[in-house]
């Protein structure tokens, strides 16, 4: 009997976007409200896992042609460059700077190097969870 | 670095060159190259005789580790010179003898001479060092080189056994000597023997004096094969005979004697020293001579006779210590004991060296050393026989050989003990001459065995491997020289007295032997008790030797099972076995056992510390109020944790574990930690699904056979113990807050300094961002590890199939 996942797949198409948006919101809002790179990353991978459940690995890799191991590496690179960045300006490691700017549409907002660091965390977390799940999923 | 330093070092330097010479000149026996050195050294050292005769001392120093007060100080006084002459003199003769004894075709001569030279250098270092640490270094070097020499024929099992045994015993003593040296240096604040002697009076009252004395004596007794540490010496007879002659009769076994003599000025004031040294010496003397009779191996007899003679010298040194207490006579009779010790030391080196060489010749020419097979060699080996007679009669203490004189002096000293009235000697002192006399009778008997069994009687050719004939001339030179020395010293003993013995005694007893001290050894000194004792010894000795077959069984009254050797063997084996059984008991290979020991250690160490430091404290003042929600959540966690223990199926356990995890995230909500709650929720979900994955992949056999965890009392006790300990520590730590938390700083500065309002996140990425940096590294490693494990396992399988 051929299985029909129409409802699941349709709901997924909507829900995955909602989850992804929520993840991005949690990630960006981390400095002011609960959240941050870690939870944001986990949420993002939850969205991808939902896709994996509704479709299959091949389809999902078609949609998101990402090498997650590369993602881990780039995340680590971004974080460590942010950490080391202070050295260029002659300040101790891990010194963050921030500045408030007024942007059109977004309004009064702060640009903070800590977000860059958090981005590295985010990428690593997504990469790690997806690598683990994909590897286990592909294994026999 | 003076000439004296180079003299001591020269054997080591030659040892480096010997293998090269061996390779370059294969047709010349390597021993000839080696022979030059001890002869040169002997002549070099004999130049000092005239100096030490006047009481002068030669002192040369070189720095080694100045910051620790360790200098390579060599000094020559009477005692050191006597030993140096023995080492180089007998060393030359032994090298000469070994040239003919060891074949240059069959033997690894390079190894032999390297070991022998190392030994010679080490021995010179021992007797000439003033610094105790240097002395100890050379001391261990003698143990090591002796180990190599005993195991020279390392393809033989007995050689390896003997070498190991001697190493274990002498190194045991060596290490205890090191302990004694360290204690001495703590007491006297110096490593120099001469400085220690100078302050010997103050050392006596120090609390470490007795331990230092015992440790030093243990070192000396093991090296000199005193009872009960003598057991290594008979087994060391597996060495080539030149080695036995050199190490185990003339030099190494006298290192302990040297040490006792050398440190006598430091320790001899103490009654303990007097008792230990003389009693140990007498027991060894008696036991060695008694055991020698039952031996059937010629070298075995000689080994036990060496033990016995070393005991004799040791007991004389012990009696000599009485000289410090008792000099009311015009002529100090106890000083005579020291003189006798030194004289007998020389005599023993000469006659025992020659006897070992004789044994080697017999072995070499007949192929056996078993005295039951040997007999009637007198006719075929007349020269060897003559040497043997001289050596053995000297050993037995017969006139006109030197052994007679020293034996007379020994008996005289033993008789003089009766007049001693210190250390309760008046009660037990009478045993001294009795034991000495009985031991001398045994000495007479085994001396007769050595000379009469192989040489007289019937020649049994069918028992021998070779047809015996007289040894080559080269092999006979050394024993003949030694035997003639036996006679020369016997007839003209005063050749030695002023040149060698006086300076040596002066360095053993510096406080008693004044400048006008003179030794005169008279060949005949009237009808003293000792003369009658000697007559008795000879009479009884002959009587007992004649009836030997009738009573020889008595010497075997101790069965082999409980002998000292068996004790040693069982000790070594038992140590081995108990170590291995302890390892088997502890190292089971089960992780469960290791965890039990880890947790047990955890409980015991922390519990003991809590108790010992009286650290438990309960201060309910700063506890927060417990609300209804906390109670409910705590109850869920407690029930869940207990339920896991009793869960029947694994699936239940996993689900309950998930429930506990979610409850914890509720706790985070309750305790106002939204970030933690979020993370905990997601992570718990992921880990529960990973658990489910593992569960799903369990082998069918295991998943079907689901049953409750079995109850084990010690597991339960240990887990309860860990829980209790951790709870107690947590409570005490909470009640012991010594200073305020630093969290206020973060709360105040999170927005001002870091531009963020989520303090947790600001701490994570800004204040303490490096931790986060490495935590994401940990995650990456974990992910790559999982990837690698799964992928590599797959390729591995492919390769196999």
């Amino acid at each position: 009997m051929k299985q029909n996942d129409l409802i699941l797949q349709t709901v997924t198409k909507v829900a995955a976007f909602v989850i992804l948006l929520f993840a991005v919101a949690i990630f960006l809002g981390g400095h002011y409200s609960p959240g941050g790179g870690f939870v944001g990353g986990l949420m993002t991978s939850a969205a991808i896992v939902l896709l994996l459940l509704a479709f299959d690995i091949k389809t999902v890799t078609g949609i998101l042609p990402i090498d997650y191991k590369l993602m881990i590496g780039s995340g680590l690179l971004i974080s460590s460059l942010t950490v080391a960045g202070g050295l260029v300006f002659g300040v101790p490691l891990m010194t963050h700077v921030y500045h408030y700017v007024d942007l059109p549409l977004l309004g009064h907002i702060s640009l903070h190097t800590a977000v860059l660091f958090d981005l590295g965390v985010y990428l690593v977390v997504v990469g790690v969870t997806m690598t683990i799940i994909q590897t286990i999923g592909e294994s026999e | 670095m003076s000439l004296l330093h180079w003299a001591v070092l020269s054997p080591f330097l030659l040892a480096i060159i010997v293998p090269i010479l061996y390779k370059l000149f294969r047709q010349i026996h390597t021993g000839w190259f080696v022979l030059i050195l001890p002869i040169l050294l002997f002549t070099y050292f004999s130049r000092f005789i005239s100096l030490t005769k006047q009481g002068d001392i030669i002192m040369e120093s070189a720095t080694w580790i100045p910051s620790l007060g360790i200098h390579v100080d060599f000094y020559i006084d009477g005692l050191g010179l006597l030993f140096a002459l023995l080492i180089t003199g007998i060393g030359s003769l032994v090298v000469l003898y070994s040239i003919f004894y060891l074949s240059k075709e069959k033997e690894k001569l390079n190894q032999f001479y390297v070991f022998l030279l190392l030994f010679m250098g080490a021995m010179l270092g021992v007797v000439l060092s003033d610094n105790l640490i240097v002395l100890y270094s050379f001391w261990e070097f003698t143990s090591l080189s002796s180990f190599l020499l005993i195991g020279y024929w390392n393809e033989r099992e007995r050689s390896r056994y003997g070498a190991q045994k001697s190493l274990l015993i002498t190194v045991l003593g060596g290490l205890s000597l090191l302990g004694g040296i360290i204690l001495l240096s703590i007491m006297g604040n110096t490593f120099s023997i001469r400085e220690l002697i100078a302050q010997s009076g103050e050392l006596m009252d120090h609390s470490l004096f007795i331990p230092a004395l015992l440790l030093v004596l243990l070192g000396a007794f093991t090296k000199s094969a005193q009872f009960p540490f003598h057991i290594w010496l008979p087994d060391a007879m597996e060495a080539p005979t030149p080695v036995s002659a050199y190490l185990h009769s003339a030099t190494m076994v006298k290192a302990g004697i040297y040490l006792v003599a050398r440190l006598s000025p430091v320790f001899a004031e103490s009654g303990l020293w007097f008792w230990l040294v003389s009693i140990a010496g007498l027991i060894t003397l008696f036991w060695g001579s008694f055991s020698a009779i039952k031996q059937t191996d010629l070298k075995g007899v000689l080994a036990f006779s060496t033990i016995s003679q070393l005991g004799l010298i040791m007991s004389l040194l012990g009696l000599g210590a009485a000289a410090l207490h008792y000099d009311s006579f015009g002529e100090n009779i106890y000083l005579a004991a020291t003189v006798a010790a030194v004289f007998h030391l020389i005599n023993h080196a000469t006659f025992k060296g020659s006897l070992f060489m004789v044994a080697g010749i017999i072995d070499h020419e007949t192929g056996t050393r078993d005295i039951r097979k040997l007999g009637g060699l007198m006719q075929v080996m007349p020269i060897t026989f003559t040497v043997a007679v001289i050596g053995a009669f000297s050993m037995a203490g017969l006139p006109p050989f030197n052994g007679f004189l020293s034996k007379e002096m020994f008996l005289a000293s033993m008789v003089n003990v009766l007049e001693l009235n210190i250390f309760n000697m008046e009660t037990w002192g009478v045993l001294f001459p009795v034991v000495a006399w009985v031991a001398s009778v045994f000495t007479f008997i085994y001396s007769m065995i050595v000379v009469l069994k192989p040489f007289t009687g019937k020649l049994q050719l069918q028992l021998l491997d070779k047809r015996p004939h007289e040894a080559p001339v080269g092999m006979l030179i050394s024993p003949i020289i030694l035997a003639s020395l036996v006679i020369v010293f016997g007839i003209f003993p005063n050749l030695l007295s002023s040149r060698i013995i006086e300076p040596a005694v002066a360095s053993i007893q510096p406080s008693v032997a004044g400048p006008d001290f003179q030794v005169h050894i008279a060949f005949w000194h009237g009808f003293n008790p000792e003369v009658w004792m000697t007559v008795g010894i000879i009479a009884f000795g002959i009587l007992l030797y004649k009836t030997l077959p009738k009573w020889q069984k008595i010497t075997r009254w101790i069965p082999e099972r409980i002998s000292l050797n068996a004790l040693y063997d069982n000790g070594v084996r038992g140590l081995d076995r108990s170590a291995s059984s302890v390892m088997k008991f502890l190292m089971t290979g089960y992780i469960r056992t290791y965890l039990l020991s880890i947790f047990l250690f955890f409980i015991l160490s922390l519990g003991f510390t809590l108790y010992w430091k009286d650290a438990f404290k309960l201060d309910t003042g700063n506890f927060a109020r417990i609300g209804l929600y906390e109670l409910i959540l705590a109850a869920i966690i407690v029930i869940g944790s207990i339920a896991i223990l009793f869960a029947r199926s694994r699936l239940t356990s996993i689900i309950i574990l998930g429930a506990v995890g979610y409850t914890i995230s509720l706790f985070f909500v309750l305790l106002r930690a939204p970030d933690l709650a979020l993370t905990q929720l997601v992570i718990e979900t992921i880990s529960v699904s990973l658990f489910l994955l593992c569960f799903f992949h369990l082998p069918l056999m295991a998943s079907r056979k689901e049953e409750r965890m079995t109850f084990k009392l010690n597991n339960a006790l240990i887990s309860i113990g860990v829980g209790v300990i951790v709870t107690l520590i947590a409570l005490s730590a909470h009640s012991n807050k010594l200073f305020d938390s630093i969290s206020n700083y973060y709360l105040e500065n999170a927005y001002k300094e870091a531009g963020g309002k989520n303090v947790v996140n600001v701490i994570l990425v800004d204040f303490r961002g490096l931790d986060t940096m490495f935590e994401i590294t940990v995650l990456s490693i974990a992910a790559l590890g999982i990837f690698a494990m799964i992928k590599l396992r797959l390729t591995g399988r492919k390769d196999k199939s």
Side-chain angles (χ1 to χ4, degrees):
Chain A
M1 194 181 94
K2 202 189 165 201
Q3 277 184 329
N4 194 337
D5 293 339
L6 191 61
I7 295 177
L8 179 61
Q9 288 178 352
T10 317
V11 170
T12 301
K13 279 174 196 168
V14 181
F17 271 100
V18 177
I19 299 175
L20 274 177
L21 278 178
F22 184 56
V24 172
I26 272 189
F27 163 65
L28 288 176
H31 233 54
Y32 294 95
S33 51
F38 200 82
V39 186
L42 286 175
M43 277 296 169
T44 312
S45 33
I48 304 173
V49 169
L50 186 62
L51 285 176
L52 280 172
L53 287 176
F55 304 95
D56 54 294
I57 290 187
K58 249 183 211 162
T59 321
V60 176
T61 28
I63 302 169
L64 297 167
I66 302 169
D67 184 352
Y68 292 106
K69 295 188 287 301
L70 215 63
M71 203 169 183
I72 299 177
S74 47
L76 277 179
L77 191 69
I78 291 175
S79 289
S80 43
L81 282 181
T82 321
V83 169
L87 291 180
V88 180
F89 300 100
V91 283
L93 277 179
M94 198 80 216
T95 310
H96 288 304
V97 285
Y98 62 94
H99 190 58
Y100 286 94
V101 285
D102 283 305
L103 289 177
L105 213 65
L106 294 169
H108 186 69
I109 202 168
S110 80
L111 287 182
H112 201 311
T113 48
V115 177
L116 271 180
F117 182 77
D118 231 9
L119 179 69
V121 177
Y122 175 87
L123 289 175
V124 167
V125 171
V126 175
V128 164
T129 22
M130 289 322 294
T131 310
I132 293 174
I133 289 168
Q134 230 179 30
T135 322
I136 294 176
E138 282 170 356
S139 78
E140 292 302 312
Chain B
M1 294 287 280
S2 61
L3 190 59
L4 184 57
H5 284 91
W6 285 113
V8 175
L9 279 183
S10 58
F12 294 101
L13 298 177
L14 183 58
I16 299 176
I17 309 171
V18 159
I20 304 171
L21 293 172
Y22 177 72
K23 290 277 180 219
L24 280 184
F25 305 100
R26 288 308 287 262
Q27 55 279 49
I28 307 172
H29 197 286
T30 318
W32 292 113
F33 301 114
V34 177
L35 181 61
I36 304 163
L37 182 72
I39 293 176
L40 274 181
L41 286 175
F42 185 75
T43 39
Y44 170 71
F45 282 119
S46 17
R47 281 179 30 221
F48 292 110
I49 292 179
S50 51
L51 278 171
T52 52
K53 192 181 165 192
Q54 297 155 13
D56 288 346
I57 284 169
I58 296 94
M59 175 98 182
E60 302 283 359
S61 39
T63 46
W64 182 20
I65 315 174
S67 55
L68 296 179
I70 298 174
H71 307 276
V72 190
D73 293 347
F74 289 133
Y75 79 113
I76 295 187
D77 64 348
L79 187 65
L81 184 65
L82 161 65
F83 273 91
L85 287 174
L86 275 183
I87 291 160
T88 49
I90 299 198
S92 324
L93 296 176
V94 162
V95 171
L96 180 65
Y97 177 77
S98 70
I99 292 173
F100 295 92
Y101 186 84
L102 294 171
S103 131
K104 71 170 180 278
E105 282 84 27
K106 289 180 210 149
E107 304 287 357
K108 300 162 289 206
L109 287 177
N110 49 349
Q111 292 184 8
F112 181 81
Y113 287 109
V114 166
F115 299 159
L116 199 71
L117 282 169
L118 287 182
F119 174 78
M120 192 184 287
M123 201 62 208
L124 278 177
V126 167
V127 299
L128 296 177
S129 298
D130 178 51
N131 192 294
L132 281 170
I133 293 293
V134 178
L135 185 146
Y136 171 74
S137 318
F138 283 117
W139 182 278
E140 291 297 26
F141 228 123
T142 62
S143 298
L144 196 67
S145 49
S146 149
F147 166 77
L148 292 170
L149 282 167
I150 297 169
Y152 174 65
W153 286 313
N154 54 21
E155 69 281 356
R156 296 187 194 168
E157 206 263 324
R158 294 291 309 169
S159 293
R160 296 197 300 268
Y161 170 78
Q164 189 198 34
K165 192 176 189 179
S166 74
L167 189 73
L168 282 178
I169 294 178
T170 52
V171 166
L172 167 79
L175 288 175
S176 92
L177 172 66
L178 180 63
I181 287 171
I182 290 169
L183 291 187
L184 272 177
S185 79
I186 291 171
M187 285 191 281
N189 203 20
T190 174
F191 284 119
S192 160
I193 296 175
R194 279 145 45 84
E195 285 171 30
L196 282 172
I197 289 173
Q199 46 183 311
S200 62
E202 298 119 63
L203 296 185
M204 268 288 279
D205 308 322
H206 203 284
S207 58
L208 294 177
F209 181 79
I210 300 288
L213 187 153
L214 292 175
L215 288 173
V216 166
L217 274 188
L218 183 62
F221 285 174
T222 49
K223 196 76 162 178
S224 277
Q226 300 293 300
F227 187 88
F229 308 109
H230 65 272
I231 48 173
W232 65 266
L233 200 122
D235 283 302
M237 290 301 129
E238 294 301 321
T241 304
V243 171
S244 309
Y246 190 38
L247 273 69
H248 307 127
S249 69
T251 51
M252 185 176 97
V253 286
K254 294 202 170 112
I257 303 269
Y258 167 80
L259 191 72
V260 168
R262 179 54 89 199
L263 294 179
S264 269
V266 181
F267 290 116
E269 287 276 341
S270 146
L272 189 64
W273 174 272
F274 169 82
W275 277 112
L276 281 177
V277 176
S278 49
I279 297 283
L282 276 180
I283 294 175
T284 316
L285 165 66
F286 175 77
W287 189 249
S289 58
F290 180 72
S291 309
I293 294 171
K294 65 179 173 190
Q295 302 302 313
T296 53
D297 177 14
L298 202 52
K299 274 173 91 175
V301 180
L302 290 176
F304 276 103
S305 90
T306 303
I307 292 167
S308 146
Q309 306 275 330
L310 290 171
L312 188 156
I313 300 172
M314 198 63 98
S315 68
L316 281 173
L317 283 176
L319 288 190
L324 292 170
H325 299 271
Y326 209 76
D327 50 357
S328 61
F329 299 98
E331 184 187 0
N332 190 324
I333 50 173
Y334 301 107
L335 200 51
T338 313
V339 174
V342 173
F343 190 39
H344 194 73
L345 184 104
I346 304 168
N347 296 344
H348 177 249
T350 53
F351 66 68
K352 193 52 64 68
S354 69
L355 281 176
F356 266 110
M357 290 176 185
V358 165
I361 289 173
I362 294 174
D363 188 13
H364 204 268
E365 302 306 330
T366 63
T368 182
R369 301 192 310 242
D370 193 333
I371 53 176
R372 286 166 301 190
K373 292 185 191 168
L374 293 167
L377 292 174
M378 200 191 335
Q379 286 87 3
V380 284
M381 305 165 98
I383 304 175
T384 316
F385 173 64
T386 318
V387 172
V389 165
I390 296 170
F393 280 18
S394 175
M395 181 157 76
L398 298 179
F401 307 111
N402 57 8
F404 169 72
L405 299 169
S406 46
K407 185 64 72 75
E408 291 281 279
M409 292 161 79
F410 163 66
L411 291 172
S413 308
M414 287 296 161
V415 171
N416 284 333
V417 162
L418 297 175
E419 293 168 36
L420 204 61
N421 59 6
I422 45 167
F423 315 134
N424 302 324
M425 270 310 274
E426 60 272 17
T427 45
W428 291 100
V430 72
L431 280 178
F432 277 56
V434 173
V435 172
W437 187 81
V438 175
S440 301
V441 174
F442 286 131
T443 306
F444 184 87
I445 297 169
Y446 73 67
S447 303
M448 291 307 116
I449 290 177
V450 167
V451 68
L452 296 180
K453 292 268 175 174
F455 289 102
T456 58
K458 229 170 68 211
L459 190 58
Q460 293 160 300
L461 279 178
Q462 71 280 6
L463 289 177
L464 303 177
D465 301 337
K466 301 177 187 169
R467 202 178 158 72
H469 55 82
E470 187 58 272
V473 182
M475 218 181 216
L476 285 169
I477 298 173
S478 304
I480 288 173
I481 293 175
L482 284 172
S484 25
L485 282 179
V486 168
I487 300 177
V488 170
F489 292 159
I491 298 174
F492 309 106
N494 290 313
L495 276 179
L496 289 173
S497 56
S498 69
R499 289 182 182 83
I500 305 281
I501 299 178
E502 271 172 27
V505 172
S507 29
I508 300 176
Q509 305 271 359
S511 57
V512 185
D516 52 344
F517 161 71
Q518 276 193 338
V519 175
H520 186 76
I521 301 167
F523 193 74
W524 176 251
H525 36 84
F527 286 98
N528 292 334
E530 54 265 29
V531 176
W532 296 114
M533 284 168 87
T534 307
V535 172
I537 288 167
I538 297 171
F540 263 90
I542 292 174
L543 185 69
L544 285 175
Y545 180 75
K546 287 282 178 204
T547 54
L548 192 58
K550 292 189 183 116
W551 58 273
Q552 207 172 20
K553 272 188 205 127
I554 303 171
T555 59
R556 302 201 172 86
W557 63 281
I558 294 184
E560 204 53 42
R561 207 154 36 79
I562 57 166
S563 68
L564 283 168
N565 270 321
L567 197 70
Y568 165 84
D569 287 338
N570 291 335
V572 170
R573 219 176 301 137
L575 215 60
D576 219 19
R577 266 194 215 143
S578 48
S580 112
S581 61
V582 166
M583 288 309 279
K584 267 186 198 147
F585 175 71
L586 290 177
M587 301 284 135
T588 52
Y590 290 105
I591 287 200
R592 182 170 304 179
T593 333
Y594 302 154
L595 285 178
L596 279 184
S597 7
I598 291 171
F599 284 130
L600 196 65
F601 180 76
F602 180 86
I603 296 171
L604 291 179
S605 58
L606 291 181
F608 178 73
T609 314
L610 265 186
Y611 171 76
W612 189 46
K613 292 277 180 196
D614 201 17
F616 181 70
K617 196 171 124 192
L618 189 60
D619 176 14
T620 48
N622 57 359
F623 280 9
R625 254 168 39 81
I626 303 171
L628 182 64
Y629 297 124
E630 284 97 336
L631 273 181
I632 294 171
L633 291 181
I636 294 173
I637 290 178
V638 168
I639 292 169
S641 311
I642 294 174
I644 288 176
L645 295 179
F646 295 99
R648 211 181 140 77
S649 95
R650 292 189 176 85
L651 202 56
T652 326
S653 304
I654 294 171
I655 289 167
I656 298 176
L657 189 68
V660 171
Y662 288 135
T663 320
I664 287 173
S665 77
L666 278 182
F667 246 120
F668 288 144
V669 171
L670 205 60
L671 297 176
R672 295 192 303 266
D675 291 277
L676 285 181
L678 271 175
T679 318
Q680 170 71 20
L681 261 177
V682 183
I683 287 293
E684 194 62 38
T685 313
I686 291 177
S687 55
V688 166
S689 28
L690 284 177
F691 267 122
L692 287 173
L693 190 77
C694 295
F695 171 76
F696 181 72
H697 284 292
L698 275 178
L700 272 181
M701 289 287 286
S703 65
R704 287 239 180 93
K705 221 178 111 194
E706 288 212 321
E707 53 192 21
R708 201 162 284 148
M709 198 161 65
T710 47
F711 179 78
K712 289 210 182 80
L713 184 65
N714 44 357
N715 290 6
L717 286 179
I718 283 178
S719 55
I720 290 171
V722 171
V724 169
I725 283 289
V726 171
T727 312
L728 288 181
I729 287 176
L731 286 176
S732 320
H734 189 73
S735 311
N736 271 321
K737 281 205 173 141
L738 299 177
F739 33 75
D740 290 335
S741 152
I742 56 162
S743 52
N744 279 333
Y745 171 83
Y746 292 133
L747 291 176
E748 283 164 14
N749 291 299
Y751 191 70
K752 243 190 310 185
E753 301 277 335
K757 284 182 181 157
N758 180 352
V759 181
V760 174
N761 211 20
V762 168
I763 291 174
L764 280 180
V765 300
D766 201 340
F767 288 129
R768 320 258 333 241
L770 274 181
D771 292 352
T772 315
M773 179 70 228
F774 290 106
E775 272 154 28
I776 57 175
T777 318
V778 168
L779 280 181
S780 318
I781 292 170
L784 294 179
I786 289 172
F787 179 76
M789 276 198 296
I790 289 175
K791 294 290 173 188
L792 288 182
R793 195 192 60 187
L794 285 175
T795 53
R797 241 182 227 166
K798 248 179 235 159
D799 286 350
K800 254 184 210 168
S801 62

